[in-house]
Amino acid sequence: MLVAPPGYNLAQAVDEVMPRLPLDVAPRIHRETHAAAVELATGVHTTVDGAVDDLRDLRGIMRTTSDPLELQVASSATHPSAASRAISIIRAGRQ
C-alpha cells in the first residue's frame, strides 16, 4: 500500500506511481482494486530465500519509484484507519 508522510495516511496514488516504474519490472507490479494498493508478483522459486530476495528487490523498486512523489510503501492487509467510504477504486482495470 502507498502511504503519505508525515501522518502515513493512505495515498490514493497508484495511477501516479505505475507509469514511473522501470519497464522491465512493470509487468510484475499490478494494480489492485484500491487506488492505494499494488500487488508485487514474485517469480517461481525453489527456495524461500529466493522468493524473499525477489520480494525485497520488488519492494526496493517500489520505494525508489515512490520516493520522488514523497510516498512510502507499506505492507498490510488493509490500512489500520481505512474506512470503506474513504478508499478510492482505481480508474483502470486490474492488471
Side-chain angles (χ1 to χ4, degrees), residues 7-95:
Y8 299 98
N9 294 313
L10 278 175
Q12 314 285 334
V14 72
D15 289 332
E16 289 78 36
V17 173
M18 294 298 288
R20 296 170 182 256
L21 289 168
L23 293 177
D24 62 323
V25 178
R28 299 178 58 209
I29 299 177
H30 309 276
R31 285 177 170 85
E32 280 290 344
T33 55
H34 296 74
V38 296
E39 176 185 33
L40 306 179
T42 65
V44 176
H45 298 276
T46 58
T47 66
V48 172
D49 288 343
V52 169
D53 289 344
D54 196 2
L55 185 57
R56 184 179 296 120
D57 291 345
L58 289 170
R59 281 187 54 94
I61 291 165
M62 277 297 298
R63 180 178 180 176
T64 300
T65 303
S66 301
D67 278 351
L69 298 170
E70 298 182 0
L71 299 173
Q72 297 207 357
V73 179
S75 296
S76 178
T78 189
H79 190 275
S81 66
S84 60
R85 67 185 172 280
I87 297 174
S88 299
I89 304 301
I90 62 171
R91 294 188 270 300
R94 278 184 76 201
Q95 296 173 331

